[in-house]
Amino acid sequence: LLLESVLFGRPTLQCELLPLRLRAAVSVLCALPRSPPSTARAVRAERTALRLAETVADWLMTGCGANGPTGGEGPWRNFRTLSWPMYGQILGAAPALAPRALCFLFLCSLRLPEVGAAASSSRGIAPAKDLGRYVFLSELFASLLVRGGAKPLR
């Protein structure tokens, strides 16, 4: 509830509070227990962390200026410029959080509008606005799988 009020509260101050809200979101996603918990406590803690990741993903992809004047480009812009860098910050803070970071990225991707198919998709021609999305997604794929960005998940 506290995280939701920090992220979703006072829309009139959206721009002024964005850096603070982003720092709070990264801090919550990077939280680790102070001492080694029991198995049951560790499971509860990770479930809670994933619920918080769901809240942050919802805020990034549906709030946070996602539905601005760019006609549906807001969620894609937020995914490229906020979610993806936050994924890197989580991995940089603690490689052990790689599964949580990947879940966060997945939760963000669930909120992306679908990439439309062109009228002549059988010939492999995509609308111009979708090309940037394809390029970004191929870069994401290359970063995670080809260049070894997913190594912490092993």
Side-chain angles (χ1 to χ4, degrees):
L1 187 61
L2 183 60
L3 179 64
E4 286 182 358
S5 60
V6 168
L7 296 179
F8 292 102
R10 303 276 318 255
T12 57
L13 299 174
Q14 199 75 308
C15 294
E16 293 86 0
L17 295 178
L18 184 60
L20 175 65
R21 289 174 172 170
L22 289 172
R23 277 197 304 266
V26 169
S27 296
V28 164
L29 293 174
C30 292
L32 287 170
R34 291 187 182 156
S35 60
S38 66
T39 303
R41 287 180 67 197
V43 168
R44 262 194 336 262
E46 199 56 32
R47 282 185 183 156
T48 301
L50 291 176
R51 278 192 227 114
L52 293 172
E54 174 82 18
T55 300
V56 172
D58 187 50
W59 171 69
L60 280 176
M61 303 306 292
T62 60
C64 198
N67 297 319
T70 55
E73 285 299 311
W76 280 96
R77 181 193 61 237
N78 286 2
F79 190 78
R80 281 190 306 267
T81 61
L82 298 173
S83 301
W84 178 241
M86 285 175 72
Y87 168 82
Q89 287 180 349
I90 297 166
L91 284 184
L97 293 176
R100 185 186 302 173
L102 191 60
C103 285
F104 166 70
L105 202 60
F106 174 73
L107 291 168
C108 289
S109 72
L110 289 177
R111 290 159 173 82
L112 288 172
E114 291 194 29
V115 176
S120 57
S121 60
S122 62
R123 295 191 315 224
I125 301 170
K129 71 176 187 173
D130 288 345
L131 291 178
R133 296 173 184 172
Y134 288 124
V135 169
F136 172 72
L137 291 175
S138 65
E139 176 63 28
L140 181 76
F141 175 80
S143 177
L144 288 174
L145 300 177
V146 178
R147 292 191 294 266
K151 281 184 184 174
L153 291 171
R154 294 184 191 145

